[in-house]
Amino acid sequence: MYAMHYDIGLPSDYDMNIIKERVARTGAALDTWPGLGLKASLIRENGKAGATTNSYAPFYLWADTDGMNRFLWGGGAFSAIVKSFPRPAVRHWTGVSFSRGADVGALPEWAAIRRTPLTTQSDPTFEVEAAVIGAAARATEPGCHSIAIGVDPASWEIVRFSLLMQQPAQDEGAAYRVLHLSRPGLDTLSAWADREHFKRD
């Protein structure tokens, strides 16, 4: 599994109805995209849910890199993004865990993204394990669709991506509204922590 995210910043007085109408018109284009686990079409609106800016910020969970490659530079849907906006930086993380929540069958209205740098310069096992355990526990609570954990081993950063039915608590990360959820490969999403337990010498 691979997590991917880009955040397109928009002017503070930007009419966000333009983005809402765009997603309503084109959001279903990835509903059957091969290799895609899920895509959440996300926005932040200035002055709402703690946001101080406007942004369009999709988040993706890929089941394989072939689908991700086709999307980014295989003449896929990313071409439409760069025709409409300056090309954004695309962040990506190696998937560590994916926890299906108590409300995985429902359509989430909110998402939260929390990025946390590892605090030590040594073995990352304990901090990554704690993030996985925390996500799995949160997923069992009502109002949670799913939670993914990923790690960027270049910057040694953990990302936690949560899909939720209600506005997230402040400690869950930056809050986003979900305009559309494509989930063609939701049932195929897996990650390292789904297949084996953490091992220590």
Side-chain angles (χ1 to χ4, degrees):
M1 183 182 76
Y2 302 88
M4 188 180 90
H5 178 236
Y6 49 90
D7 193 314
I8 299 170
L10 300 166
S12 60
D13 60 350
Y14 188 86
D15 182 0
M16 292 302 288
N17 286 320
I18 296 172
I19 301 297
K20 294 174 184 178
E21 291 167 3
R22 177 191 180 100
V23 173
R25 186 176 66 253
T26 65
L30 269 68
D31 284 357
T32 57
W33 192 275
L36 177 64
L38 65 81
K39 172 197 174 182
S41 297
L42 309 178
I43 61 167
R44 299 196 83 194
E45 295 184 83
N46 186 25
K48 297 182 180 180
T52 57
T53 59
N54 291 318
S55 68
Y56 175 47
F59 200 103
Y60 305 74
L61 295 176
W62 296 96
D64 63 57
T65 55
D66 287 343
M68 184 169 64
N69 289 341
R70 283 194 300 273
F71 174 84
L72 286 172
W73 42 71
F78 193 66
S79 297
I81 292 292
V82 297
K83 287 178 182 176
S84 302
F85 307 100
R87 187 180 67 195
V90 179
R91 297 191 59 88
H92 54 96
W93 301 264
T94 298
V96 178
S97 71
F98 180 73
S99 300
R100 290 165 178 79
D103 288 304
V104 72
L107 290 175
E109 296 186 16
W110 291 88
I113 300 174
R114 187 177 72 195
R115 292 164 44 191
T116 308
L118 274 71
T119 59
T120 68
Q121 298 296 314
S122 57
D123 187 350
T125 298
F126 296 97
E127 288 182 80
V128 175
E129 181 180 21
V132 169
I133 292 171
R138 175 67 177 91
T140 65
E141 299 175 10
C144 182
H145 176 280
S146 56
I147 302 182
I149 297 293
V151 175
D152 178 351
S155 63
W156 289 113
E157 173 190 79
I158 297 174
V159 66
R160 171 167 152 164
F161 173 66
S162 309
L163 287 170
L164 306 165
M165 308 308 296
Q166 292 147 358
Q167 183 175 332
Q170 193 170 23
D171 63 357
E172 293 192 275
Y176 296 79
R177 291 305 302 260
V178 179
L179 298 183
H180 182 82
L181 184 68
S182 298
R183 46 187 179 178
L186 178 67
D187 293 338
T188 67
L189 282 177
S190 63
W192 176 82
D194 291 329
R195 296 194 294 271
E196 61 180 295
H197 297 292
F198 283 81
K199 296 178 179 178
R200 302 190 184 93
D201 294 333

